[in-house]
Amino acid sequence: MKSSAILTVLFLFGRLAFGGPEVSTPKTTKIWNQNFDVVFESSDTETIERITEGIRSSNEQKNQRTRESYSHKIDLSERWLYDSETGELQLLSKSQQKVWKLKKEDRMYLNSLLKENRQNQSAHTTPASAPR
């Protein structure tokens, strides 16, 4: 019993000292682009957990500069600003927030969802000049 309590405390301390940001796991998620178009939406539990775990395991950036813009906004109960090129993200807030960076594999996964959704949307869009 004592050893499991010690391991739990060590895990929680390690999570606080070295882990990424706290992120809740919602039932649905949406991602908007800079034009406020919804570019991804899902209620798939595995997808949402993969996104949230990626954010939780992100690394705090040493250079905590304020960014001028991000390419996307992610809704995971709280809103996150996300740059798909750099993998940087920041909690949307009126106060200054830490800048985090997704690990490469998490950035690639998230970007693949955005790319896949873009391709699906364009496949269902009929150009105005197309013959009827």
Side-chain angles (χ1 to χ4, degrees), residues 73-127:
K73 192 179 296 175
I74 303 172
D75 184 358
L76 296 166
S77 298
E78 55 276 321
R79 300 264 170 98
W80 290 85
L81 301 172
Y82 173 64
D83 187 320
S84 60
E85 288 187 30
T86 64
E88 291 179 332
L89 33 80
Q90 188 172 32
L91 186 63
L92 180 60
S93 174
K94 290 181 179 180
S95 63
Q96 179 64 34
Q97 297 293 316
K98 294 179 180 179
V99 177
W100 301 88
K101 186 165 185 169
L102 291 176
K103 294 178 180 172
K104 183 179 180 181
E105 60 271 14
D106 296 322
R107 178 175 52 88
M108 290 174 62
Y109 174 76
L110 188 52
N111 288 350
S112 73
L113 294 176
L114 299 174
K115 182 178 181 182
E116 178 182 310
N117 195 55
R118 251 191 325 264
Q119 289 172 344
N120 288 340
Q121 285 179 343
S122 64
H124 297 293
T125 304
T126 306

Side-chain angles (χ1 to χ4, degrees), residues 4-20 22 56:
S4 65
I6 291 170
L7 287 174
T8 302
V9 169
L10 288 174
F11 172 77
L12 291 174
F13 175 75
R15 179 86 172 136
L16 290 173
F18 304 109
E22 291 292 322
R56 287 183 189 126

Side-chain angles (χ1 to χ4, degrees), residues 10-74:
L10 288 174
F11 172 77
L12 291 174
F13 175 75
R15 179 86 172 136
L16 290 173
F18 304 109
E22 291 292 322
V23 181
S24 60
T25 305
K27 294 185 187 299
T28 62
T29 187
K30 283 185 184 181
I31 302 177
W32 292 268
N33 64 15
Q34 289 178 324
N35 297 325
F36 300 104
D37 299 320
V38 174
V39 294
F40 179 79
E41 188 170 3
S42 180
S43 56
D44 177 60
T45 306
E46 284 183 33
T47 302
I48 295 170
E49 286 178 4
R50 177 73 171 82
I51 293 169
T52 56
E53 281 305 312
I55 294 174
R56 287 183 189 126
S57 66
S58 63
N59 298 307
E60 184 178 345
Q61 294 296 95
K62 290 183 177 149
N63 181 6
Q64 289 292 319
R65 70 194 185 291
T66 302
R67 294 189 47 103
E68 294 297 320
S69 66
Y70 285 86
S71 60
H72 295 84
K73 192 179 296 175
I74 303 172

